[in-house]
Amino acid sequence: MSVTYTIDPCEKVKVKESYEWIDFQYNCRTQADYLNKRLMLMMNAIEEKIAYKTAAESILLQGNWASDVTTTGDVYRAGVWKSGGYDINARWMPDMKMATMQTGYCSPILVAGAMDFYKAAQVMNSGCCTSAGVDLASILANFGEAYEWDPYVTTAFGNNQYSLVTQLGALQLLTYTAGTAPNFEGFINMGGTNFELHPLTTMRYGIPVDLLLKNDCGTLTMTMTTSTKVVAPPLDMFPTSDPLSGVNYVNYAEAYTLS
């Protein structure tokens, strides 16, 4: 097993706003209140950009299901609905649990993306019994993972039926900012004649960002940047002869209706 993770500090996610001095002169709020609101909106905007970027990178980190799991092109297909799309297939969740067990999943599991996985889990949460007498709520309690609809993931897939299956800790978000790099410490603690660099973290997700404040002859520019990259475990954790060869706990699953 060998892997080196790197991140390019020149590849940045950026949000930028500019204001004229007159914007502050005729503002009915205090300058601090106005700037704080603008900062919150910039943080929301950069987190939104990071969410799309993270989803797009995550689906490219796909590993294998275990070799003894039945897949179609290394995509696990789960028939969540019976023919007609109204009655739920009571076996889909235990079958999917079995597939993750065969693949060596050993931490809390997230299935994020497809609406049908989310809707089927919600139906089972409120369900009673199938025509075969199977208690759906009991199945969810015993086999339920975290099934979430995630529009960022489905957008990245370009397919509303696909979900990303992963476990806690398998995907990690690397970040880099000048404000948190030790070798830049001297630089960030001093301001130029017309600029200042401040290290911040976003309010919702705590992502480190750099905030550059610059004054160009009365025009204030605020630029918020960060560098991010999603990484996963290497694909050579298991010998090629092992059923888990190529497994890194990042997998694809597709929800479909049984014929």
Side-chain angles (χ1 to χ4, degrees):
M1 180 178 70
S2 62
V3 65
T4 300
Y5 298 109
T6 61
I7 186 169
D8 185 354
C10 295
E11 184 180 332
K12 296 183 181 296
V13 182
K14 180 170 70 173
V15 174
K16 181 178 179 180
E17 291 191 355
S18 295
Y19 316 93
E20 299 297 327
W21 66 269
I22 200 169
D23 295 336
F24 297 97
Q25 185 176 9
Y26 294 107
N27 199 316
C28 59
R29 298 180 176 181
T30 65
Q31 292 185 14
D33 184 44
Y34 179 73
L35 287 175
N36 279 335
K37 180 176 181 180
R38 300 315 306 172
L39 282 175
M40 296 302 103
L41 292 173
M42 290 177 72
M43 287 182 180
N44 285 340
I46 203 166
E47 285 182 336
E48 186 77 1
K49 287 187 173 184
I50 292 169
Y52 278 106
K53 181 176 183 287
T54 298
E57 291 176 348
S58 296
I59 68 169
L60 299 179
L61 299 173
Q62 178 196 20
N64 296 338
W65 288 96
S67 60
D68 52 353
V69 174
T70 301
T71 62
T72 301
D74 216 32
V75 176
Y76 178 82
R77 302 187 74 236
V80 296
W81 307 110
K82 292 182 179 179
S83 179
Y86 296 102
D87 293 330
I88 199 164
N89 171 23
R91 287 189 51 179
W92 79 268
M93 192 173 284
D95 286 348
M96 194 163 185
K97 178 68 173 183
M98 190 69 232
T100 58
M101 289 177 64
Q102 289 172 271
T103 308
Y105 277 71
C106 55
S107 292
I109 297 171
L110 171 67
V111 182
M115 286 185 181
D116 276 341
F117 280 129
Y118 175 76
K119 289 189 291 186
Q122 293 302 304
V123 168
M124 295 181 77
N125 190 44
S126 303
C128 175
C129 303
T130 65
S131 58
V134 179
D135 187 334
L136 296 178
S138 177
I139 290 177
L140 181 64
N142 286 301
F143 298 99
E145 320 301 340
Y147 292 92
E148 299 294 341
W149 170 61
D150 192 318
Y152 302 107
V153 174
T154 55
T155 297
F157 273 124
N159 188 325
N160 287 327
Q161 300 305 111
Y162 271 53
S163 280
L164 193 69
V165 184
T166 189
Q167 69 176 14
L168 181 66
L171 292 172
Q172 295 290 328
L173 182 67
L174 304 183
T175 62
Y176 177 89
T177 59
T180 56
N183 54 317
F184 279 90
E185 187 173 352
F187 171 71
I188 65 166
N189 286 337
M190 68 177 188
T193 56
N194 68 334
F195 74 91
E196 290 183 357
L197 183 64
H198 296 275
L200 301 174
T201 56
T202 61
M203 297 298 292
R204 281 188 300 175
Y205 303 131
I207 299 172
V209 295
D210 287 325
L211 178 67
L212 178 65
L213 302 175
K214 188 177 181 182
N215 178 17
D216 287 323
C217 300
T219 299
L220 175 65
T221 299
M222 298 197 301
T223 306
M224 188 175 291
T225 62
T226 189
S227 297
T228 67
K229 181 181 180 180
V230 181
V231 297
L235 296 172
D236 60 352
M237 292 190 294
F238 303 97
T240 55
S241 58
D242 194 288
L244 299 184
S245 175
V247 167
N248 68 347
Y249 309 109
V250 181
N251 297 106
Y252 292 178
E254 179 186 9
Y256 74 100
T257 300
L258 296 170
S259 58

